[in-house]
Amino acid sequence: GLLSRYPLAPYLDEVEPSFASKHATLLIGLGIRQDVTYDDVLVVQSMIVKATQSGNLSNDQLNVVFSLLEISTRLPAGSKNLSLLKIPDTEGRLQVRSDVVCGDRNINGKIASFNFVHRMVSPDLVERLRLENSFARATRLGIEFEDEDEDEYTPREKLTTTISDTLGRYTIDSTFSEFLANANDCGATQISWILDTCVGGSYESAALLSEELKGLQGFALFVYNNGVFSEDDFRGFKEIGQGGKTDPQQRLLPRNKHWQHKVGVKVSLATARQFFPSQLRPFHGLQGYSMESDTYDGTLFRLPLRSTEQTLLKEASAVIDVDETQALLEDYYPTAQMSLLFLRHVNTIDFRVRGQEASWSVTATRLGSSFDDIFRDVNITSCHSSKTNNKTVWRIGMTDIEEAPKHLANSGRRANKLAITGDRKTIPFDDTKSNTAITAWNRWLLTKCIPGFYLDFLKDLAPRRGEQAFDFWPLTANITASQPLDKVILDAFWNQLTGEQYESYQLFPLVEKMGTTEQSTPLKARTIGRARKLFKVTSLRSAQFNVLQTRVSARLSPLFNNICPNLVHPPRRLWQDMTTFKIDQKLTILKSDYLCDIFRVEANCIVLENFLKGLVSEAIRDEAMEMLLLITVPNPSSDSSRLLDMVSGCRIIPRLNQSLGTVKFQSGDMTIWSRPDILFIPTLAEADLFAHSANSLIKPSLFREGPPKHTSVVPNSGTQTQASRNPLLDLMRESSNLRQIGLSDIESFLTHVELSSAYSGVTDKMDGWIVKFWSYLNPRLQIHSRGSDKIADFVSVWEQLKDLRLHDTPIYRYHQDNTWHYITPQQFEEGPYIIAPSEQEENDLCRLFPCVKVIDTTCIPSQLHVIESRLENSLAFGRLLRAITKTGASNIRHTSIEKPESKSLQLLRNLIRTHGMSQIVVQHGMVLRALPIWPQLSPNEPSEDGRCIPAQDALLCAHGAMLLPYIRQRDRFINPDLVMTYSSTLRSLGCTIMDIESIWNHLEPNLPRSLTPDQLEAHLACIECLARNNWKPRSKIAPNGDGTLCSPSSLYDHEDEIFLAAFGRSPKSYFLHPDFKGKRTYWISLGLRARSNSGCMSDLHFLHCIARVEARLKSRSTTYHDKRDAAKVSGYLCFFHPGLASWPGTSWASVVHAKIYQADADISSEPTYRQAQMLMIANETGPCSIQHATSRAHLRVVWSQRPLLKDPPDASVYKHVGPPLLTSVYDHLHFLIKIRNTVSSRELSEYLKDVQATYAFLQDCPTTASIPNIRGDKVWLNLPTTDLTSISSSQLDGALRSAKSLCLKAPLDTHVMERAKNFLIPYESLLRKLGCKTISQPAKSKLAPSSNNLRIIDKSLTVIRNMREQDNLVDIVFEAEGVQVSAHKIFLAAASGYCRSQFLGDWGQLLGLKPTIHIEELTAKTLQYIIDFAYTGEVSWPILDNAEDFDEVADKLDEILDLLRGADMWLMEALHDLTEQHLLETSETYVRADNVDSVKDIAEEVRARHLVKHCEEFLAKNAEFVQDFRDMK
């Protein structure tokens, strides 16, 4: 079988073949199959899975799994399901078959994450398992695969740009040559160009790498070489610039993991042939390639010819079609003949159209030398289909001509003086090359000979051409990357220029002096007559180079021409090369170090002054001076902070008086400059303000509009740009004698001799100058505002004035008597002065105090004006109060004060309020309290004459509504609106504002007993005020409907419908006045009778309501409205309220007995058998209480005795009522029994539920047994089932029983006693209380084993063996009741002592061979039981079909007792014990109170002592029960 070839041990094994052949029947009987099944495979698989839940398979397990797979695939097709198999993956883990794939495992990307089948699974088995290929799954799931060079093909710049730039630099010939060079580099010997014109149309495109490639399956150009790419070749092929080569647009190939189209894809031929055959279709049959092969020895490039829409290269001028491509390759033929001369490997080039003969070919034959020789001969053979074949011989020089033999002079096709080196790249001059002699020669020629020759040329040219000679100097800008030899020569040129040999060469033409005019004319070659005038030249060592910007040079050239003897002005491009090669570091340049030395010489400074004076305008002078300062004063750098020291001693600083000042720097021990040495850098305003000190001020117009309009003064100087520089500020920052005017310098300008007379008297000039002075000073005062801290700001102002020594200078002024008066800041602080407020109303207030002087705000520190511009500022208001105090004007004119409408008084009050909490008001509180500025309130209405009183005499009340006409001392109160407005102000003055309690104490004694209609509105306002302030007086302040003031606790909530229903007939006596009902919440807080926040009513309030309603219902004149109101009051209890639980029991006793409810006469929804009785009770009942009625919860047990309420209370109320009366429930039970025959069958189940509910109530009541006659009344329905739907009306009469005739747990009914059936079983405890008895069974006992321990069959066999030896016994037949039973004497003798004695006795000797014996004492059944037992030792006991059938139970019991008698008669001890034990075990069925006496008698008769004992115990336990039966008999 399969197991022999593919063993599965130890999980499953096969039986040894020889044993199987011998015992085939046995093995089939044991269920052993002949061969393995698919179920066996799954069982073994599950065992292996369980053994390797968290690990890999071991080698043994793997072998078993392989065997399982082999067996599974070889089983019949209909018996297996391969999808249930688990396949081992490459890691040795079992995977679901659908999760495993086969195929190439060496693919990157998402395919690599697939579960590949274990490598030991054979391809044949993979095919039989029908595993899915990885590429097929990837294609089905739309997963892109990635090649191993995925990251390498990702471009690092936009590839279209790179290719476009490359094509721009390469000609078509160069492009062809590039392919030729690549083929040579990889060792190919042949290269072919093949044009595919697609004669049969475009190639198929069904299976391509991507859909986007369909458009490229047409015309193409193939490039073939017979070289094979290595990994290095692939790396080189992938890179062009910094990108890939194949899809520069990145829109055709499949996408990569970044969801971008790939630049290139590297796919094996095997993979492409299987999944992308259309991609290979154009290559098939070309240069020996076949699609049937997975390898190819060669290289084939396919270049699709695209349309205009298919290109993304920038500046694509034209699309190359098939004809254009063929023309280009035809044009390439002459070039191809020369291309093989210098190649090592490639010997053949050809071109053809696919399917045709070659159009042309070129072949090279290299003879007689190696590539390392000095020269070699090359034969070139050219063949063209339309031209004559040609053959040429070339001798190619391998080294430089100077090193070659003389006979090489005419090498090559032309008589060149230099031989071709042979590597078509460079002339060797580097020491790393192999031929050191050639290298040394080339190096000398390029670095010594040619540069020296050129320097001599320039030396001769300079005096002849002047500055035009600079046009012949070599420039770096003219050299490209493709000219490396030019770069070598240029480097050597500049290196030699600075050498000792050429440092003194007169190479540099001087700038020709053209006078001192502003503009210089351009240099030209000049002639005098027939002779040429030579230009002046100088050497590198002696020249001063002017490398300034053109505009700067033009502006300052007259100056430099006079102070610089050898001035040279090279072109900018030449100077850039001089800087690049660091020639500038050895030159004298017109920059800071040279110019500083120039301007330390006084003569040169005079030349500078004269130069400036000679300029035509001030603007030109400023521009020239700015330019000069920018190039003379160096730009300080971070690494040389003292670079500006070189300027020390230079007299180049232009003063305001047209002279030049000298720059000085502090020495090590100098800390302060003397006043004459300082040069101030003023602003234009400072220059105008302090013009009297012009000798100390630098010209202010310099650098005011930024530096001159040029980007740099010294090009390529190595320093930062000059565009943002101010050289004057640079000097100032470097501890020079230049500085800006500071605040500390102002005092010295004020003490100038020309201003000393300004303070001796007042003049118009002085008035104008002081205003201009403050306009200058204020913005410069360094006062640091601290925000809201005005005092700190004021201190800062004062301290700065002192620091500047201005506090004792008369620079403040005030206007009086049409004259300006000047005071010092010190006098201002000590006298009665204030600063003029900025608001007109505040000025009007100040005019109330004429002795207070107002200072001009234009001649004070602006910050001080800001601080004290408004009297709302504490400093300004404090200054006003101090000024008033100092003038002695605290007693202000009373005529002004007594006018409350005065805006000044209102402003004063507001100011006091604004500064109420400040120290200023506290200091002057006494004066402010005595000012009569507060309007008085008249005894009745506000005062018409506007009389004011001081705050210290007034009563202050902010609650106007409390100031009722009858309040005490009303004339001492001031306007409450002002008190409210200025409450904080009054408190800050030390006044006390009365609280609500104090005001109430003034008001309460005068409250009236009742309110007139005119007083109601004012009283309501007073109540609202009390409510707002949460003041809760205990007085009678609540007016009822009549206007009488009552205590709020005596009135009821007017919004509560319960109170309205109860007391609505007398609203004026029990509720608030209608005008005062809006303050309900406040009245409730004062004790108004209302519900709590939870909605619960007080028990006393509810009792008041029900008492009021009950009284109305008792009246003879009860109306519909009275009943409606009663329903509303009683309706409060219809819903649950949490507060009801807090009502005391006494209150509930009154509530449940209050007769305020109506009986519900709507009984239409009740069952028909209830309706008549319930309607009668409802009609007979008037207003009733909860106690007298019943609830829905007790309806079933009392509906015939108690009415239902029309709007019953919530169920929680009934817990205070208690259950229905027991007598009512029992009467209800009698009523139910009475109407049993009137109940329809449709409603019988509902009726029986009422009966059951009544029984349950009686059972739960502890005093039920005390009801008279309850034990003898027939009110108990002893029905056999609890399934109410199966009970019929006809059963009810027959099931009625009294409690006396019922018993519990009896085995079956008797003629005198009936056991309780299923319908009454749930009420067993009730029946017990009513005296129903229960049959109690004694404990069951087991008989002791027989003295003979041998089984009966063993014993019989022993006896029979003995008698057989004696040959004493023969067969016999017994007959009873006409039924014959045959037996063997020997068996009977062995089982029965009676038979044994009879058969062995004389009687037995008289019997024939087969006698028939008639048995009168036994029934036929008993005889059969005995004979059967003799043979089997067992009894088949009679079976009860119905254990509740009295007659059947009696018959079965008689049958068992007869057997007990027969066993005793036949002396069969084992049968006797067995029968007695059976009766004991079934005693609950057979032993009852009515037959226990007779069973006991029979047991005593047949010596069944255990049964006798059981009966005695039954009698003892149920003596009363048994006695009842004896009495009945």
Side-chain angles (χ1 to χ4, degrees), residues 41 177 235 318 356 547 645 972 976 1226-1227 1265 1282 1285 1415 1457:
V41 171
S177 299
R235 284 193 289 272
Q356 301 179 13
V547 293
D645 285 351
R972 288 187 59 191
Y1226 192 63
D1227 292 343
T1282 57
T1285 60
I1415 306 296
L1457 291 175

Side-chain angles (χ1 to χ4, degrees), residues 548-612:
L548 303 174
Q549 290 285 341
T550 303
R551 189 167 181 269
V552 177
S553 178
R555 176 65 64 201
L556 299 179
S557 59
L559 173 64
F560 293 141
N561 288 341
N562 289 325
I563 61 177
C564 299
N566 296 312
L567 188 62
V568 177
H569 190 186
R572 180 183 298 275
R573 62 186 184 280
L574 180 58
W575 177 251
Q576 290 175 350
D577 279 2
M578 296 173 74
T579 303
T580 302
F581 290 97
K582 300 182 180 180
I583 306 301
D584 59 327
Q585 298 179 4
K586 301 181 180 182
L587 307 180
T588 300
I589 306 172
L590 291 185
K591 58 182 183 178
S592 298
D593 51 354
Y594 176 73
L595 294 177
C596 287
D597 293 337
I598 290 292
F599 292 116
R600 287 194 188 95
V601 179
E602 181 62 22
N604 293 331
C605 296
I606 295 173
V607 172
L608 175 58
E609 287 179 337
N610 293 333
F611 166 73
L612 294 173

Side-chain angles (χ1 to χ4, degrees), residues 392-408:
T392 58
V393 179
W394 294 80
R395 175 166 290 182
I396 305 303
M398 307 305 293
T399 59
D400 187 82
I401 190 62
E402 297 296 333
E403 295 295 325
K406 293 180 180 181
H407 64 275
L408 294 181

Side-chain angles (χ1 to χ4, degrees), residues 296-355:
Y296 182 63
D297 294 333
T299 303
L300 263 174
F301 296 94
R302 183 175 181 271
L303 310 177
L305 301 183
R306 295 176 292 181
S307 62
T308 304
E309 293 76 11
Q310 292 175 315
T311 182
L312 291 179
L313 299 181
K314 68 177 185 178
E315 300 177 1
S317 59
V319 177
I320 301 177
D321 56 13
V322 173
D323 295 336
E324 180 68 18
T325 303
Q326 186 168 0
L328 288 173
L329 283 164
E330 291 292 345
D331 293 341
Y332 178 60
Y333 173 63
T335 305
Q337 298 179 56
M338 306 293 296
S339 300
L340 298 179
L341 289 176
F342 304 101
L343 301 180
R344 287 177 178 267
H345 304 294
V346 177
N347 298 325
T348 301
I349 307 176
D350 62 72
F351 162 66
R352 62 187 171 89
V353 177
R354 187 169 189 173

Side-chain angles (χ1 to χ4, degrees), residues 487-507:
K487 180 67 168 58
V488 174
I489 297 173
L490 185 62
D491 291 347
F493 171 82
W494 288 109
N495 289 333
Q496 290 194 35
L497 179 61
T498 56
E500 295 182 1
Q501 179 180 355
Y502 300 102
E503 198 173 31
S504 59
Y505 265 36
Q506 301 289 315
L507 299 173

Side-chain angles (χ1 to χ4, degrees), residues 1169-1183:
Y1169 66 87
R1170 293 184 186 177
Q1171 292 182 4
Q1173 180 69 11
M1174 293 182 70
L1175 183 62
M1176 181 188 71
I1177 294 174
N1179 292 333
E1180 293 176 354
T1181 305

Side-chain angles (χ1 to χ4, degrees), residues 78 120 150 469 608 638 702 937 1002 1237 1340 1431 1448:
M120 292 182 65
E150 171 65 23
L608 175 58
S638 58
L702 295 178
L937 194 67
H1002 273 70
N1237 294 323
K1340 297 178 182 180
Y1431 281 88
E1448 182 182 358

Side-chain angles (χ1 to χ4, degrees), residues 341-570:
L341 289 176
F342 304 101
L343 301 180
R344 287 177 178 267
H345 304 294
V346 177
N347 298 325
T348 301
I349 307 176
D350 62 72
F351 162 66
R352 62 187 171 89
V353 177
R354 187 169 189 173
Q356 301 179 13
E357 296 293 332
S359 296
W360 55 259
S361 65
V362 178
T363 303
T365 304
R366 300 173 182 87
L367 304 172
S369 65
S370 68
F371 201 86
D372 295 330
D373 291 340
I374 295 176
F375 72 94
R376 64 178 172 182
D377 292 332
V378 180
N379 296 336
I380 300 296
T381 303
S382 304
C383 300
H384 197 285
S385 59
S386 60
K387 297 181 182 180
T388 305
N389 295 344
N390 188 23
K391 183 174 182 181
T392 58
V393 179
W394 294 80
R395 175 166 290 182
I396 305 303
M398 307 305 293
T399 59
D400 187 82
I401 190 62
E402 297 296 333
E403 295 295 325
K406 293 180 180 181
H407 64 275
L408 294 181
N410 293 322
S411 295
R413 297 188 63 182
R414 296 186 181 95
N416 295 328
K417 293 187 177 180
L418 289 176
I420 300 174
T421 59
D423 63 357
R424 70 186 181 91
K425 293 182 178 179
T426 58
I427 296 176
F429 62 90
D430 194 346
D431 286 338
T432 59
K433 301 299 181 178
S434 58
N435 196 328
T436 57
I438 296 176
T439 299
W441 169 256
N442 289 340
R443 188 166 57 249
W444 172 84
L445 183 63
L446 296 175
T447 61
K448 297 293 184 181
C449 180
I450 295 176
F453 165 79
Y454 205 74
L455 285 171
D456 291 335
F457 163 73
L458 293 176
K459 177 182 177 183
D460 293 337
L461 185 64
R464 292 175 172 79
R465 303 298 295 176
E467 290 185 310
Q468 291 182 357
F470 287 129
D471 296 339
F472 295 90
W473 284 63
L475 298 175
T476 304
N478 296 334
I479 299 176
T480 64
S482 61
Q483 299 171 316
L485 298 184
D486 293 354
K487 180 67 168 58
V488 174
I489 297 173
L490 185 62
D491 291 347
F493 171 82
W494 288 109
N495 289 333
Q496 290 194 35
L497 179 61
T498 56
E500 295 182 1
Q501 179 180 355
Y502 300 102
E503 198 173 31
S504 59
Y505 265 36
Q506 301 289 315
L507 299 173
F508 301 96
L510 299 181
V511 175
E512 187 172 359
K513 296 181 180 180
M514 303 297 293
T516 58
T517 59
E518 297 177 18
Q519 301 296 332
S520 60
T521 59
L523 290 174
K524 299 180 180 179
R526 296 164 295 165
T527 60
I528 301 177
R530 293 181 178 273
R532 180 182 295 274
K533 179 182 178 180
L534 297 180
F535 291 89
K536 293 183 179 181
V537 294
T538 186
S539 64
L540 184 69
R541 185 182 301 166
S542 303
Q544 295 93 41
F545 287 89
N546 176 6
V547 293
L548 303 174
Q549 290 285 341
T550 303
R551 189 167 181 269
V552 177
S553 178
R555 176 65 64 201
L556 299 179
S557 59
L559 173 64
F560 293 141
N561 288 341
N562 289 325
I563 61 177
C564 299
N566 296 312
L567 188 62
V568 177
H569 190 186

